[in-house]
Amino acid sequence: DDVLVSDVKSEKYANIMLMKYKTGGVSVLVVLDRRRQKKNGLYPVKIEVVFRGVQKYYPTGQDLSIDCWQTLGTKRRHPPESYFDIQDSFDHIKNEVKTLVSRGVFSISALDTALGLKENDSLQQLLGRKMNTAYGSRHISSSFRTRARAAPQ
């Protein structure tokens, strides 16, 4: 039973959920982590994965104000670029979770391995490295090159 719910707005531990996906006992959520405000006044956007009562947060590399966060789920003509980066991070983790669950081998450590995360990586850094590799091997066009270069390495 795969469930994908976009634009969900409810509070959980002072976080607002933007996107939610559930399959095989695993939940994937996009949350604004209001536990710690950064020096610039913004809060980090994270992907929360919950499995058997264990939560793990994956940084997206995006920081938003509470006001900006609350407008992300609304119908806007021109959502901010950060929305697409957050969506990319969510989709990447959701797809890895879906694959691992379908193979019957899901665990948080298996997800970390599948994501190829290094210590303190954000998902945008990981996606940037993957896009650079794909561009170098000519698996994607040059239109993605700019975006890959824009992602922090």
Side-chain angles (χ1 to χ4, degrees):
D1 289 349
D2 292 355
V3 178
L4 176 61
V5 180
S6 294
D7 303 333
V8 174
K9 289 193 173 184
S10 64
E11 298 225 14
K12 177 184 179 189
Y13 305 114
N15 295 325
I16 300 171
M17 292 181 273
L18 178 65
M19 294 164 236
K20 181 178 180 180
Y21 174 77
K22 288 178 111 174
T23 187
V26 183
S27 296
V28 182
L29 319 164
V30 176
V31 296
L32 183 68
D33 188 354
R34 289 199 258 175
R35 297 174 297 174
R36 180 183 62 86
Q37 186 176 26
K38 293 189 167 189
K39 290 180 183 177
N40 61 6
L42 303 177
Y43 298 89
V45 178
K46 297 183 178 182
I47 309 295
E48 177 185 26
V49 176
V50 182
F51 179 62
R52 294 183 180 164
V54 176
Q55 299 167 313
K56 173 119 187 217
Y57 293 92
Y58 296 90
T60 64
Q62 300 298 315
D63 300 320
L64 297 174
S65 68
I66 292 171
D67 290 339
C68 185
W69 173 257
Q70 291 174 335
T71 64
L72 283 181
T74 62
K75 304 290 185 226
R76 296 178 65 175
R77 288 184 186 192
H78 304 288
E81 181 64 29
S82 58
Y83 176 83
F84 299 106
D85 292 337
I86 293 165
Q87 182 72 50
D88 288 347
S89 297
F90 175 78
D91 289 342
H92 184 64
I93 290 205
K94 178 187 77 167
N95 292 334
E96 291 296 343
V97 165
K98 193 174 189 176
T99 298
L100 291 169
V101 167
S102 71
R103 292 176 31 211
V105 296
F106 184 86
S107 69
I108 297 292
S109 61
L111 178 59
D112 288 345
T113 300
L115 292 172
L117 287 175
K118 298 177 183 175
E119 189 70 26
N120 298 319
D121 263 356
S122 75
L123 292 171
Q124 286 303 308
Q125 290 168 319
L126 172 67
L127 292 172
R129 283 196 307 272
K130 287 190 174 212
M131 283 194 283
N132 283 333
T133 300
Y135 178 76
S137 62
R138 307 223 183 261
H139 286 108
I140 59 174
S141 70
S142 61
S143 65
F144 288 97
R145 186 177 190 185
T146 304
R147 186 166 181 156
R149 284 187 177 164
Q153 300 297 315

